[in-house]
Amino acid sequence: MEHELTRMQVLPRMVWTALSDGRAEGFGEGWLDYTGLEYEASIGSGWQSAVHFEDLGRLLSIWEAIVRSGSQGEIAARLRRRDGMFEKFLFRLCPLPDSSGAVSRLCVLHSLVEDPIAEERTGEHQRRFEEMVDALPGLVWTATPDGSCNYTSKQWRHYAGITLDDVRWNRDWETDVIHPDDLARAQAFNRATFCPEGVAGDLELRLRRSDGEYRRFITRTSPVKDARGQVIGWCGINTDLEELKRAEEALLAHQLAAERVHASVALTTREEELKRANQYLTLAQQLSQTGSYARVVETDEQTLSEEMYRIWEFNPNEPVTHQMVLDRIHPDDLPSFVATQSAALAAGKDFDMTYRTVMPNGAVKHLRSFSQRLTEIPERLVYVGATQDITEWKLAEAALRANEAELRRANYELLRAYRHIAEAQRLSNTGSFTLDFSVNELFWSEELYRIFELDPTTLITLDLVKSFVHPADIPAYVNAVEGATAGVEIDFAFRIITASNTTKYLRAVGHRIEHSGDRPVFVGATQDVTKSRLAEDALRQSEAFLSQGEVVAESGSFLWNLDSGEIRWSDQMYRIFQFELRSLITLDRIAARVHPDDLADMEEMITRAHAAVDSEYVHRILLDDGSMRWLHFVARSLQDEDGRLRYMGTVQDITDRKLAEEALDKVRSELTHAARAMSLGVLTASIAHEVNQPLTSLMTNASTCVRLLGADPPDLELARTIAQRTIRDANRASEVIKRLRGMFSRKRVVAEAVDLNEAAREVLALSGGALQAARVVPRLDFADELPKIRGDRVQLQQVILNLVLNAADAMGAIDDRPRHLWIKTSSGSDEVCLSVRDAGVGLEPQNPERLFDAFYTTKGEGMGIGLSISRTIIDGHAGRLWGVSNGDGPGATFSFTIPCRSVAADPISMDA
Amino acid sequence: MAERRLVSVVDDDEFVREALPDLLRSLGLEATPFASAEEFLASDMVGTTGCLVLDVTMPGMTGPELQIELAQRNFDIPIVFMTATFDDKLGEEVLKRGAVAFLMKPFSDAAIIDAVKSALEVG
């Protein structure tokens, strides 16, 4: 803005004021100097004589628009210099509101057009600029430095259903087009961008299409700068992201589904590992009588397994300290024990020791310990280890030594097993127990106390455990205990309700290790599986939901492993193909079901699958009872991590939809015919008129001819002329009949090249009588060299006829103005448009789209299917049909567009 | 009123305007064609026309409207109506207002000649 002011000051004072109706009040010297006009000759409307006559009309209409809008505007126009030369000026019209706010006068400033932006606003440049912008594929716009939009490309206007006048004079159109939820963001963006320091920027927002649908766009805005780097305008392009966004969302949904499946697989795997670990534990204890421990060196925190407590004869309920361990070591072995251990700990290394212990009752045991540092926790010194009572082995040392190598390996295996166990325990919320039926007592690990939320000193009995068991699981618990009493292995799941009223899912596994008297003793593990049970429940529910969804959607899914040939089907797939559930699926079995005519498609699908190409088909299958189903098959090629090729997809039974579509086609065809028959009724009078007219002159001419020949003397020359007229009249009548024949035959039509001008002319020729009867005056405005479109000529004429008759009907009650009907054709870069405009009552403003509903009618007679069918026909030609009330006068305009296709394109086939 | 033998033919169809006057001329009558009611009213032949052969449906002023207009201007010209669209109600109306005949297109030469002759006699 600033640089424009500077320019104004440089120029002579070309400033004057005028009343809002365009009459000038006073002029500065600049005007009088430049134009050479006298002051008196300039005031009033005299100033207009200095404006080039070609520019005056536009100038005055924009003047009016500016007065109406109340905001300033500008327009380029040529002014005559005193020497008679014309120069181009930019007229800046600044409305001056009076005290009441109404615009009663304006201030007019002129500046010589120099800068390219202003230059482009005028004449040829402007047209070229607009043509160039209109040719761009996106929705393009330009704006003044303050961000006021001053031009939008044709595509943009077409998209939003706005006109150039909206852009120039209705500042609210943008607010109207932007989605209300995006408006605040858009305004903030505009404030930040449209300033002298503004830089290019992107904004994502939703814009309303003329049919009311909001689509997502990215708007890219860039400043236009002059040579001095000052912002002299803005231009932007809006790119439609809707399809992209939808694809992204679909992809995201896919990923989420895939993640859910992975999660459930991972869960299952972990459960299996745990189960295996439990089995290891049981097995290892059974085999080796080896205890395990874990020790955090810094805190001297020791965790011992049950077996370990037994070996060392520590009280399981008391924490074990390192000193307690040292106190048990045989005095002769203590120095080497301490030395070996200290050296290993200092170096953070693993160690292996054999030593003796002295128990409180004086018994000596030979023990062997393998300790390994847990490298998984590098920041802390943590050791896990296994200690084995080798007293008996020591006694038979000689024998054992022979097998030392084997022993070492076995020990090594054991050590690995224990490491598994240690980690499994850490991971798995598993406590271990010993159950001795001879004393009816349970020994629990600390973890189990924690799971039951009990104090670790509590004495555990079977009855105490039972008091926590969920009432519904009591029978299972009693059953398991009774079984265990009889020596049956323990493996059952049950729920407990803890003191904090939490329900936990537990799984107990126990192994009978010995008999004490006739009573069995069990060791086992109890795991808190609440988390996985809940996850499992959720998974089962969502699986059930998916399966139910498949039933409802009548679609099944499949996975075909191309390497192994294995085909996996969802239950719904079996139901669709009516195969026995879970039976083995082979390509041959599928092929036996596929309709013989569609087998080629299936073979192609198999070829594509092997080539890792996605497929989509609609094909038929024949069931055992002879019925036929239509299926929609979509498959996607996938490669798993090992590079194995898989084909995954869905099959939907679309038979019902297919039948409905066929029924709909039939109804539509009948409706089209009904509508045509109805129009036929309306047209009868018109046709009679059209045929009777040439017949009248024919008969009259024939009679005259006979008379002339019968006169004495006969006027042969005139008789000959008149006889020739009869031939012409007969031809004229037969032309009418020919047109009718084309219009009212009902047949399947293959698309042909159609000249809309010609088609419309024929419709007018046939409906001329009806229009005359309705006192409607048709005005034609046909584009020259209208490109031909491909389509069904008769159907399109049906639409034109419908629009023309509707327009005539709409003016039936109009008596205060001419009943004008305009038919206009035009062509854009890729489409042809035909509009029928009337001066009738106009459309109901509430919802013009309702007009296109079937059986919606505003007329006393008529079924209300004409526009509905017309829209169906235009849709069938990939075009658009819409109606709007005229903005600049009474009445309405209905238009349709049809895309231009090259003549070589595939013909549209449709039912007439 | 034998001196008023001029027959004016008003029809928007140019072929009818060509054929009918020739037929009437072959009978020794004077005939002048007009393309619209407005053209006829604007001509200087309104006062000299002895018979008006008038089409019903035309753009702008229709035949029946011209009949009313002439009556309002006190021109008592016998009128033979012709129409290509059958409408017996309209026929009744124009006959009631004094028309000599209401002919359906196409008509025989006898029908139009009889109608024109009786119109000239009425005049």
Side-chain angles (χ1 to χ4, degrees):
Chain A
M1 296 300 279
E2 195 188 328
H3 79 286
E4 289 183 27
L5 278 175
T6 325
R7 280 162 36 78
M8 288 298 296
Q9 284 156 1
V10 175
L11 286 165
R13 291 195 301 281
M14 292 283 274
V15 181
W16 47 284
T17 59
L19 297 172
S20 58
D21 63 3
R23 279 180 296 139
E25 285 187 314
F27 287 92
E29 279 173 23
W31 168 274
L32 302 175
D33 280 354
Y34 183 84
T35 60
L37 288 175
E38 295 295 328
Y39 186 84
E40 289 73 19
S42 293
I43 57 169
S45 51
W47 62 272
Q48 293 173 9
S49 66
V51 179
H52 194 288
F53 74 96
E54 284 176 6
D55 298 342
L56 187 60
R58 209 156 60 91
L59 174 61
L60 292 178
S61 67
I62 289 196
W63 185 296
E64 270 178 44
I66 285 171
V67 169
R68 269 204 306 278
S69 73
S71 56
Q72 72 169 11
E74 48 189 44
I75 172 161
R78 285 162 287 182
L79 268 186
R80 192 178 54 238
R81 213 159 59 189
R82 58 193 312 143
D83 61 3
M85 291 291 290
F86 282 98
E87 284 186 300
K88 202 171 283 180
F89 277 82
L90 197 61
F91 282 58
R92 178 176 291 266
L93 307 181
C94 310
L96 306 170
D98 61 19
S99 53
S100 72
V103 176
S104 59
R105 48 169 52 92
L106 298 97
C107 173
V108 184
L109 306 155
H110 298 267
S111 54
L112 254 176
V113 172
E114 289 171 335
D115 68 71
I117 289 281
E119 186 82 33
E120 276 179 359
R121 289 207 179 105
T122 61
E124 188 57 32
H125 290 282
Q126 175 68 3
R127 260 198 301 283
R128 224 178 297 148
F129 168 73
E130 289 175 5
E131 271 168 19
M132 188 188 78
V133 169
D134 288 348
L136 293 174
L139 309 182
V140 183
W141 51 267
T142 60
T144 57
D146 66 354
S148 306
C149 185
N150 57 7
Y151 186 71
T152 56
S153 71
K154 201 171 127 193
Q155 279 88 346
W156 200 171
R157 299 197 298 272
H158 183 75
Y159 176 86
I162 53 167
T163 64
L164 262 184
D165 286 347
D166 287 333
V167 173
R168 286 186 180 133
W169 309 120
N170 173 14
R171 289 290 177 228
D172 293 335
W173 71 272
E174 285 175 297
T175 322
D176 196 39
V177 166
I178 295 169
H179 192 285
D181 295 350
D182 296 343
L183 201 53
R185 217 154 41 79
Q187 284 163 346
F189 175 82
N190 287 352
R191 277 195 298 277
T193 304
F194 297 130
C195 55
E197 311 80 44
V199 292
D202 292 345
L203 173 67
E204 251 188 68
L205 77 178
R206 287 161 287 181
L207 297 173
R208 197 183 56 207
R209 199 163 61 187
S210 60
D211 62 3
E213 182 189 336
Y214 282 100
R215 294 174 73 81
R216 284 165 280 190
F217 277 83
I218 184 158
T219 294
R220 180 151 297 176
T221 304
S222 301
V224 178
K225 294 184 178 173
D226 64 11
R228 288 168 296 178
Q230 275 180 301
V231 175
I232 53 171
W234 295 88
C235 73
I237 183 159
N238 303 343
T239 308
D240 191 335
L241 297 178
E242 189 63 31
E243 300 308 326
L244 189 69
K245 286 280 181 194
R246 286 190 190 157
E248 273 177 11
E249 282 161 9
L251 192 65
L252 190 65
H254 255 308
Q255 282 172 350
L256 285 175
E259 279 168 15
R260 204 169 52 193
V261 171
H262 279 149
S264 71
V265 169
L267 205 64
T268 315
T269 313
R270 182 163 304 170
E271 275 204 332
E272 278 170 6
E273 277 176 2
L274 206 55
K275 197 168 163 188
R276 231 178 4 245
N278 281 334
Q279 283 165 351
Y280 275 139
L281 173 70
T282 318
L283 195 69
Q285 282 182 335
Q286 191 184 351
L287 280 173
S288 65
Q289 292 178 318
T290 301
S292 63
Y293 81 96
R295 177 175 173 219
V296 181
V297 177
E298 285 93 332
T299 59
D300 195 21
E301 209 181 313
Q302 304 233 13
T303 314
L304 274 59
S305 77
E306 288 294 320
E307 185 68 15
M308 197 71 168
Y309 276 108
R310 216 174 356 259
I311 291 169
W312 287 84
E313 297 180 23
F314 286 136
N315 182 345
N317 298 327
E318 273 176 26
V320 175
T321 64
H322 190 56
Q323 191 54 50
M324 285 164 67
V325 173
L326 294 179
D327 289 345
R328 286 271 201 273
I329 306 293
H330 193 287
D332 292 352
D333 292 337
L334 191 58
S336 69
F337 182 93
V338 172
T340 308
Q341 201 177 47
S342 309
L345 294 187
K349 291 230 168 84
D350 301 345
F351 56 99
D352 176 1
M353 295 184 293
T354 304
Y355 50 90
R356 286 162 295 172
T357 54
V358 183
M359 291 301 138
N361 64 1
V364 174
K365 288 184 180 177
H366 290 261
L367 300 183
R368 179 158 191 182
S369 292
F370 298 96
S371 299
Q372 267 196 352
R373 184 172 178 201
L374 264 189
T375 49
E376 284 84 345
I377 317 171
E379 73 275 12
R380 296 181 70 190
L381 205 53
V382 179
Y383 277 83
V384 293
T387 300
Q388 198 175 17
D389 186 345
I390 51 167
T391 312
E392 286 174 14
W393 292 10
K394 275 284 175 190
L395 295 175
E397 207 171 44
L400 281 170
R401 194 164 291 151
N403 291 321
E404 200 175 26
E406 212 172 323
L407 181 70
R408 285 185 77 87
R409 208 180 66 233
N411 280 341
Y412 179 68
E413 291 297 326
L414 271 173
L415 185 65
R416 277 179 46 148
Y418 277 108
R419 288 198 57 185
H420 266 298
I421 294 161
E423 293 191 22
Q425 281 177 336
R426 191 157 50 91
L427 281 169
S428 65
N429 302 328
T430 304
S432 49
F433 64 84
T434 311
L435 169 59
D436 185 345
F437 279 104
S438 62
V439 290
N440 259 340
E441 254 188 28
L442 284 142
F443 298 98
W444 276 11
S445 72
E446 276 181 44
E447 180 67 17
L448 253 181
Y449 282 104
R450 218 179 47 73
I451 291 170
F452 274 76
E453 298 172 14
L454 284 173
D455 185 273
T457 57
T458 315
L459 181 69
I460 306 299
T461 64
L462 285 168
D463 285 338
L464 179 70
V465 176
K466 190 177 169 187
S467 70
F468 285 104
V469 173
H470 190 285
D473 294 339
I474 295 272
Y477 178 78
V478 171
N479 195 31
V481 171
E482 277 173 10
T485 315
V488 178
E489 300 282 276
I490 299 169
D491 185 354
F492 79 116
F494 62 106
R495 283 163 292 175
I496 58 165
I497 300 171
T498 64
S500 66
N501 206 23
T502 311
T503 301
K504 291 183 178 178
Y505 289 83
L506 303 187
R507 168 118 186 253
V509 179
H511 179 63
R512 200 183 73 236
I513 49 166
E514 59 180 324
H515 270 84
S516 171
D518 58 345
R519 315 289 277 173
V521 176
F522 283 83
V523 294
T526 300
Q527 190 188 5
D528 180 351
V529 293
T530 309
K531 275 185 197 158
S532 57
R533 271 302 287 266
L534 292 178
E536 220 175 56
D537 280 353
L539 184 67
R540 205 171 293 134
Q541 265 173 22
S542 86
E543 270 174 359
F545 187 70
L546 265 178
S547 164
Q548 193 58 36
E550 282 200 342
V551 173
V552 171
E554 296 189 323
S555 76
S557 47
F558 65 86
L559 179 67
W560 175 20
N561 190 330
L562 279 101
D563 295 305
S564 68
E566 181 201 15
I567 300 173
R568 281 164 65 183
W569 275 15
S570 73
D571 290 355
Q572 184 62 18
M573 282 291 286
Y574 284 95
R575 284 192 279 271
I576 290 172
F577 275 76
Q578 293 190 2
F579 283 155
E580 194 191 329
L581 268 183
R582 315 278 153 75
S583 56
L584 182 70
I585 299 302
T586 63
L587 287 175
D588 288 344
R589 276 189 83 192
I590 299 171
R593 276 275 193 263
V594 171
H595 192 287
D597 293 350
D598 295 339
L599 277 173
D601 281 348
M602 183 176 167
E603 274 165 29
E604 191 191 330
M605 181 276 289
I606 293 170
T607 312
R608 291 168 75 93
H610 283 287
V613 181
D614 299 345
S615 293
E616 180 170 1
Y617 295 99
V618 170
H619 70 86
R620 293 158 291 178
I621 55 169
L622 293 171
L623 299 177
D624 288 335
D625 61 6
S627 63
M628 188 178 81
R629 309 294 294 173
W630 286 89
L631 303 185
H632 183 202
F633 170 98
V634 183
R636 197 156 250 228
S637 182
L638 299 170
Q639 262 185 337
D640 65 15
E641 290 157 1
D642 303 327
R644 283 188 299 246
L645 203 54
R646 294 194 296 183
Y647 221 40
M648 191 173 169
T650 62
V651 169
Q652 190 180 12
D653 185 337
I654 55 165
T655 309
D656 293 343
R657 197 171 84 200
K658 202 81 184 166
L659 292 178
E661 271 172 14
E662 278 169 14
L664 189 66
D665 275 351
K666 193 158 160 277
V667 170
R668 192 178 293 149
S669 162
E670 280 164 5
L671 277 176
T672 314
H673 190 64
R676 201 174 293 166
M678 216 168 51
S679 311
L680 185 66
V682 177
L683 272 184
T684 308
S686 172
I687 293 157
H689 186 265
E690 285 301 307
V691 178
N692 287 341
Q693 212 68 327
L695 283 182
T696 306
S697 48
L698 191 151
M699 284 174 69
T700 309
N701 283 323
S703 303
T704 312
C705 189
V706 169
R707 278 169 191 286
L708 291 172
L709 293 174
D712 188 22
D715 184 344
L716 288 178
E717 197 51 43
L718 186 55
R720 182 195 194 76
T721 310
I722 290 175
Q724 274 164 349
R725 281 193 213 152
T726 63
I727 297 169
R728 180 203 62 194
D729 292 338
N731 280 336
R732 202 173 133 216
S734 82
E735 274 302 312
V736 175
I737 303 297
K738 232 183 272 172
R739 284 204 296 265
L740 284 174
R741 197 181 296 139
M743 198 136 178
F744 293 106
S745 58
R746 182 178 184 222
K747 59 188 176 191
R748 195 185 172 93
V749 186
V750 177
E752 54 182 327
V754 179
D755 179 342
L756 265 192
N757 285 349
E758 200 182 303
R761 253 185 220 111
E762 283 185 10
V763 169
L764 279 177
L766 283 170
S767 58
L771 293 181
Q772 256 182 31
R775 303 179 54 190
V776 167
V777 188
R779 301 273 170 93
L780 306 187
D781 180 8
F782 284 171
D784 296 332
E785 293 176 16
L786 197 65
K788 287 191 177 180
I789 53 168
R790 289 195 67 77
D792 182 328
R793 177 190 183 84
V794 176
Q795 283 192 349
L796 292 173
Q797 286 184 318
Q798 180 71 29
V799 175
I800 300 170
L801 177 64
N802 189 263
L803 297 183
V804 166
L805 294 180
N806 280 350
D809 285 346
M811 295 189 285
I814 304 301
D815 285 317
D816 60 338
R817 53 182 181 266
R819 298 180 180 179
H820 283 313
L821 182 153
W822 291 268
I823 302 181
K824 183 178 175 180
T825 58
S826 58
S827 61
S829 56
D830 53 359
E831 61 185 19
V832 170
C833 178
L834 184 142
S835 304
V836 177
R837 175 189 167 122
D838 63 54
V841 290
L843 305 182
E844 281 178 46
Q846 299 91 324
N847 192 357
E849 280 296 299
R850 272 192 70 192
L851 286 173
F852 297 96
D853 293 346
F855 307 113
Y856 176 83
T857 179
T858 55
K859 303 178 203 165
E861 64 267 21
M863 289 167 66
I865 54 175
L867 279 176
S868 160
I869 288 170
S870 296
R871 177 165 274 185
T872 309
I873 291 173
I874 297 301
D875 285 351
H877 287 76
R880 288 200 316 129
L881 168 64
W882 71 98
V884 290
S885 281
N886 295 331
D888 53 353
T893 302
F894 282 82
S895 313
F896 65 81
T897 57
I898 307 273
C900 304
R901 286 160 197 270
S902 69
V903 180
D906 290 340
I908 316 155
S909 78
M910 62 194 113
D911 289 312
Chain B
M1 308 288 267
E3 69 273 17
R4 287 207 354 207
R5 299 182 67 77
L6 173 65
V7 182
S8 292
V9 178
V10 182
D11 196 321
D12 61 315
D13 187 288
E14 72 166 296
F15 300 109
V16 174
R17 288 204 303 276
E18 195 177 60
L20 257 188
D22 276 347
L23 176 67
L24 297 172
R25 283 179 203 126
S26 78
L27 295 168
L29 298 167
E30 266 182 69
T32 312
F34 296 95
S36 68
E38 290 86 348
E39 189 184 323
F40 174 68
L41 280 176
S43 76
D44 52 6
M45 303 204 184
V46 181
T48 56
T49 295
C51 171
L52 184 59
V53 179
L54 181 56
D55 188 30
V56 170
T57 320
M58 289 182 291
M61 186 183 281
T62 66
E65 283 167 355
L66 177 58
Q67 182 186 30
I68 294 165
E69 180 67 27
L70 288 171
Q72 278 173 357
R73 298 192 190 183
N74 290 321
F75 287 110
D76 184 18
I77 307 173
I79 301 177
V80 174
F81 274 100
M82 52 186 179
T83 180
T85 316
F86 179 69
D87 187 344
D88 52 357
K89 218 168 108 193
L90 179 69
E92 271 175 39
E93 273 176 35
V94 298
L95 290 172
K96 208 182 282 175
R97 282 203 293 266
V100 176
F102 187 76
L103 300 181
M104 287 297 305
K105 285 180 182 174
F107 36 71
S108 68
D109 57 340
I112 185 75
I113 291 167
D114 285 354
V116 169
K117 279 187 170 163
S118 56
L120 289 172
E121 279 160 21
V122 168

